[in-house]
């Protein structure tokens, strides 16, 4: 099981801050995961509509969308940060 943690408007659109998923063997990279999540219902589709802007951290380390997720215990997904 992999813990997915959602932040900011990703969390708001999905309606939950975290969940645990058994990832299918076909989900190899972060990009694969984002594509899979979009298929989980309207709220996920809305949250990941523009998946290219989603930032990702695996086990608390920022990664690109082509990064492998094998061995990940926690994957955090969040929109770009803005300063103020």
């Amino acid at each position: 099981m992999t813990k997915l943690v959602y932040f900011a408007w990703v969390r708001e659109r999905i309606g939950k801050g975290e969940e645990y998923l058994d990832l299918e063997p076909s989900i190899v990279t972060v990009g694969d995961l984002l594509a899979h999540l979009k298929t989980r219902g309207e709220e996920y589709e809305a949250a990941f509509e523009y998946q290219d802007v989603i930032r990702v951290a695996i086990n608390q380390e920022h990664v690109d969308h082509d990064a492998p997720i094998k061995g990940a215990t926690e994957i955090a997904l969040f929109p770009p940060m803005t300063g103020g």
Side-chain angles (χ1 to χ4, degrees):
M1 282 251 195
T2 303
K3 180 179 181 181
L4 302 181
V5 184
Y6 307 115
F7 291 94
W9 55 255
V10 174
R11 177 183 60 229
E12 292 168 10
R13 290 177 184 175
I14 292 173
K16 59 180 102 175
E18 63 183 50
E19 65 183 321
Y20 288 87
L21 288 181
D22 278 324
L23 300 178
E24 301 170 13
S26 62
I27 302 171
V28 178
T29 66
V30 168
D32 295 340
L33 174 62
L34 293 173
H36 170 74
L37 289 172
K38 282 176 70 172
T39 68
R40 297 191 73 216
E42 281 183 27
E43 56 278 339
Y44 289 90
E45 189 175 347
F48 300 110
E49 179 178 8
Y50 303 105
Q51 69 186 47
D52 292 344
V53 302
I54 300 296
R55 305 285 307 203
V56 180
I58 295 178
N59 299 332
Q60 300 182 357
E61 187 172 321
H62 289 268
V63 298
D64 293 324
H65 286 195
D66 61 352
I69 59 172
K70 185 175 182 178
T73 55
E74 179 185 88
I75 302 174
L77 301 116
F78 47 93
M81 301 297 173
T82 58

